Amino acid sequence: MVVSGRDTQRGAEVVAEIRANGGRADFVAADPDGSAAASRALADEARSVLGGRVDILVNNAGIFPANGTLDNEATFDRVLAVNVKAAFFLTAALVPHMTESGGGAVINLGSWAVRQDLPQGIACTASKGALEALTRAWSAEFGSRGVRVNAISPGVVLTPDPDETTPNPVRVMMKGTPHGTTGTPEAIGRAAVYLASDESSFVHGTVLDVDGGRTAVAVIAG
């Protein structure tokens, strides 16, 4: 497994945790800025670390600066570059190698906000909607070549903090949902494992809501 990101320290911590639990992982520093060059460099480095073969790609890079339609153009361009173009070019760089080695899986990370928008998250919502559209388009384009493409739409997720003394105000966003409170990163991880595994071999072009019922069920918040 290759873990990539901008923060070397966080990457090292994730790799150490994976290894401590018996897994194999390496960290590759990368800044997915939306340029084709940056995505291709990450693809090449990942393939080198993994001995030339990549079976699973999780497009998880993303930023969420608060912005509205009337805000500056630079923010909108940056969000679309990181959240959409980086995934586009990384997928384009790796899918041909997956095809050559017999197939693979691509998993895109969307957001519940695509269906229940945030007024100060216009650019992020647009970018995640684009990723959902690409999920279906790539599924049609690459499915016959042995590469399955699906997406996960996470709900409101927080890392549990046992020392938290003041309730996180984000939790109110899940009030009234079937689950009742925020999800954990592990819940999203288990969904990714399912979509990457042979157990989901008949699943193509799907957006899997992992959101505690946030989008599918009426929410009563207050």
Side-chain angles (χ1 to χ4, degrees), residues 38-123:
S39 291
R40 289 170 186 156
L42 172 56
D44 291 344
E45 182 66 15
R47 289 185 64 238
S48 176
V49 169
L50 295 170
R53 178 167 177 160
V54 174
D55 298 306
I56 302 160
L57 167 62
V58 179
N59 285 314
N60 188 41
I63 55 175
F64 181 70
N67 82 305
T69 302
L70 305 183
D71 292 335
N72 68 76
E73 179 182 352
T75 299
F76 187 84
D77 287 344
R78 180 167 175 257
V79 172
L80 269 290
V82 175
N83 293 14
V84 182
K85 292 180 68 177
F88 180 89
F89 289 124
L90 191 56
T91 300
L94 289 175
V95 162
H97 299 289
M98 291 182 180
T99 300
E100 290 175 3
S101 61
V106 176
I107 302 168
N108 298 319
L109 268 291
S111 172
W112 62 269
V114 172
R115 285 175 291 285
Q116 295 185 346
D117 199 5
L118 299 172
Q120 281 299 310
I122 298 299

Side-chain angles (χ1 to χ4, degrees), residues 113-141:
V114 172
R115 285 175 291 285
Q116 295 185 346
D117 199 5
L118 299 172
Q120 281 299 310
I122 298 299
C124 186
T125 300
S127 71
K128 295 302 184 179
L131 273 182
E132 289 195 7
L134 282 171
T135 296
R136 292 183 285 272
W138 284 339
S139 181
E141 183 177 5

